Amino acid sequence: MPPPELEHLDVVIVGAGLSGIGAAYYLQREHPRRSYAILEARAASGGTWDLFRYPGVRSDSDLHTFGYEFRPWRDERSIADGPAILTYLRETAAEHGIDRAVRYHHRVVAVHWSTPQARWRVEIERADTGERTALTCAWLFCAGGYYRYDEGYTPAFEGVEGFRGTVVHPQAWPEELDYAGKRVVIIGSGATAVTILPAMAGTAAHVTMLQRTPTYILPAPSRDALAARLRRLLGPERAHRAVRRFNIARQRAIWRFCQQHPHTARRLIRWVNAKQLPEGYPVDEHFNPPYHPWDQRLCLVPDGDLFRALRKGTASVVTGRIAGFTETGVRLESGEELPADVVVTATGLNVQAFGGVAISVDGTPVHLPGTLAYKGVMLSGVPNLAYAMGYTNSSWTLKIGLLCEYFCRVLAHMDAHGYDVCRPEPADPGMATRPLLDFGAGYIQRALDLLPRQGDRAPWLTSMSYHSDVKLLRHGRIADPELHFAARA
């Protein structure tokens, strides 16, 4: 008796987070007759915003640009907390029926492309039962982001096993953790650390942010006064469009200013910091990074909450290198010891491209560092696969929306010409290449050898400019000598 035929879908979206829900919306809107499913390894939708439960978890971009272009952000807070963002994502999915397309506990472990069949075979492991299943699809859309969901990054610390307190990583925050009246040391100074500090400072005895090097930090209002006025005047839909355009332009202007005038930008940020900190505070010791603004992501703190905690004395910042743990705290190379009952290792993420899925084409494994990113959405030599990777210098979702539009335009082009296969291939195999993400953050630098690369010319450049991507992805031609189409033989 022949084995049962596998279920076949037009598109499989991997991941039911911000990017996956967005991809499903655009696919439904532009190609309502195409069949699709969202495969989600976890038991709930929301991705990052369901996973992270640490105190104060929130966005580090305004929600008028971090939210979807097609669904207005109606909350008064422009910089919102994790639960509000998760509600927004799930309401968006429910409003458009996307939630009915999600298959939970479906972890994609491998995908195999067959040129004769012009389709992918998707190998799935049920996260709840361990059962192995499979299906096939014409297109894969990888929307799982770029970091590992099952573990964060924690460097090795000498003596940590002898520490009598509690060590937690923000990515695996225990719900039962009680830090009331306790001394807390947060290791790190990135977006997660500057979020956790003010959230814990009101309850803990004292919170110390221990950083190896400072980070650029700026206060920003949590509520957008312009958005509130425009909602009253124009209504939510028109106000959302206007505020979104304004904020996109403002983000770009700030980034360009920092790139073109780094020394002036550094002085301005220092001036703002000094105004926020207590008189006589050692600003240059703790808030003067060794790199230029926006060489790494600039951290926003809503309503200056971190600076407020420092002014109140409920929190402090220490800059130094860790020598190791003691039974009662963290010892620095300077000899100083920071007493602690709880240590939070806000030391970053582990990058994992495509969720760690094994990819092969006609039986040959795909070595990601050997591929080039085509327009930041497809990979050289890999047919019918798109992926979602947002901006590092502005709101992630701005790029996601544009590449989803581009993906749908590619599908329409294939329909119009009777194509089944789409495969990017560089005309010059010897083209000079560079890392996919030109970004100084530690979690990116640690993973550069695991990621695809980009070329030195279009269309093999990964743009970090929204306005350039509008021209390229929304309005640019699909037909391209380096994007090869074919019908199934």
Side-chain angles (χ1 to χ4, degrees), residues 161-472:
E161 64 282 349
F163 176 57
R164 294 204 301 254
T166 303
V167 179
V168 298
H169 191 284
Q171 194 167 318
W173 195 272
E175 290 185 17
E176 70 280 2
L177 179 65
D178 179 14
Y179 54 86
K182 296 183 178 179
R183 300 163 300 178
V184 178
V185 171
I186 302 170
I187 301 174
S189 61
T192 302
V194 304
T195 297
I196 292 174
L197 182 147
M200 298 184 77
T203 304
H206 188 82
V207 180
T208 301
M209 185 172 81
L210 171 58
Q211 59 183 14
R212 186 171 57 187
T213 53
T215 296
Y216 288 106
I217 301 174
L218 275 177
S222 61
R223 286 171 167 79
D224 191 322
L226 175 63
R229 288 196 297 271
L230 289 180
R231 281 195 203 100
R232 291 193 295 269
L233 292 172
L234 305 176
E237 299 283 346
R238 293 170 63 193
H240 176 69
R241 291 194 293 271
V243 173
R244 184 179 174 88
R245 285 195 295 271
F246 176 79
N247 287 356
I248 289 171
R250 181 172 59 182
Q251 286 177 11
R252 183 63 178 171
I254 292 172
W255 182 82
R256 286 179 64 89
F257 179 80
C258 290
Q259 294 292 299
Q260 294 174 0
H261 308 284
H263 300 292
T264 303
R266 178 191 290 270
R267 289 195 297 270
L268 285 172
I269 295 171
R270 187 197 182 281
W271 177 79
V272 172
N273 290 166
K275 295 272 288 183
Q276 292 278 322
L277 292 163
E279 187 174 351
Y281 191 90
V283 181
D284 290 322
E285 181 180 353
H286 302 310
F287 290 90
N288 188 19
Y291 52 87
H292 291 316
W294 272 118
D295 284 354
Q296 297 186 31
R297 196 170 180 90
L298 191 152
C299 290
L300 296 180
V301 289
D303 302 322
D305 56 6
L306 178 140
F307 298 108
R308 189 165 59 248
L310 296 179
R311 290 196 303 269
K312 287 182 177 179
T314 56
S316 58
V317 176
V318 172
T319 303
R321 291 182 173 270
I322 296 173
F325 277 61
T326 67
E327 291 185 352
T328 57
V330 180
R331 188 180 72 256
L332 306 184
E333 290 182 355
S334 65
E336 179 184 3
E337 182 173 338
L338 303 178
D341 304 299
V342 177
V343 174
V344 180
T345 54
T347 44
L349 309 167
N350 278 322
V351 171
Q352 185 180 58
F354 304 106
V357 175
I359 305 172
S360 66
V361 173
D362 293 328
T364 301
V366 173
H367 179 57
L368 290 177
T371 65
L372 293 178
Y374 177 85
K375 296 185 178 180
V377 64
M378 289 185 276
L379 297 177
S380 62
V382 183
N384 292 26
L385 182 147
Y387 64 91
M389 189 171 291
Y391 294 123
T392 56
N393 62 351
S394 58
S395 291
W396 173 273
T397 326
L398 292 176
K399 177 96 174 194
I400 301 304
L402 291 175
L403 61 85
C404 289
E405 290 182 39
Y406 177 79
F407 171 61
C408 291
R409 293 177 62 221
V410 168
L411 295 182
H413 180 85
M414 294 175 71
D415 288 346
H417 294 86
Y419 296 134
D420 301 293
V421 180
C422 171
R423 183 197 309 248
E425 292 285 0
D428 176 13
M431 174 175 50
T433 68
R434 56 192 175 94
L436 179 66
L437 298 172
D438 293 337
F439 200 50
Y443 68 96
I444 296 295
Q445 294 300 308
R446 289 192 300 270
L448 290 179
D449 292 340
L450 306 176
L451 298 173
R453 296 181 65 81
Q454 61 174 313
D456 62 357
R457 59 172 177 81
W460 302 99
L461 294 171
T462 298
S463 167
M464 286 293 156
S465 165
Y466 176 77
H467 294 293
S468 297
D469 280 334
V470 167
K471 297 176 183 177
L472 179 72

Side-chain angles (χ1 to χ4, degrees), residues 76-146:
E76 289 185 1
R77 296 165 297 171
S78 178
I79 299 178
D81 61 27
I85 298 170
L86 184 59
T87 297
Y88 169 81
L89 293 179
R90 289 177 176 168
E91 286 179 351
T92 301
E95 283 179 14
H96 298 283
I98 295 167
D99 54 343
R100 296 193 296 271
V102 182
R103 303 180 186 182
Y104 296 107
H105 300 293
H106 280 57
R107 177 181 292 113
V108 178
V109 294
V111 292
H112 312 285
W113 171 261
S114 166
T115 294
Q117 295 179 319
R119 62 178 54 182
W120 288 98
R121 178 185 171 97
V122 182
E123 305 287 347
I124 300 161
E125 180 181 76
R126 289 293 303 256
D128 51 348
T129 65
E131 177 190 4
R132 298 295 289 258
T133 62
L135 54 78
T136 62
C137 63
W139 268 88
L140 272 172
F141 190 101
C142 298
Y146 58 47

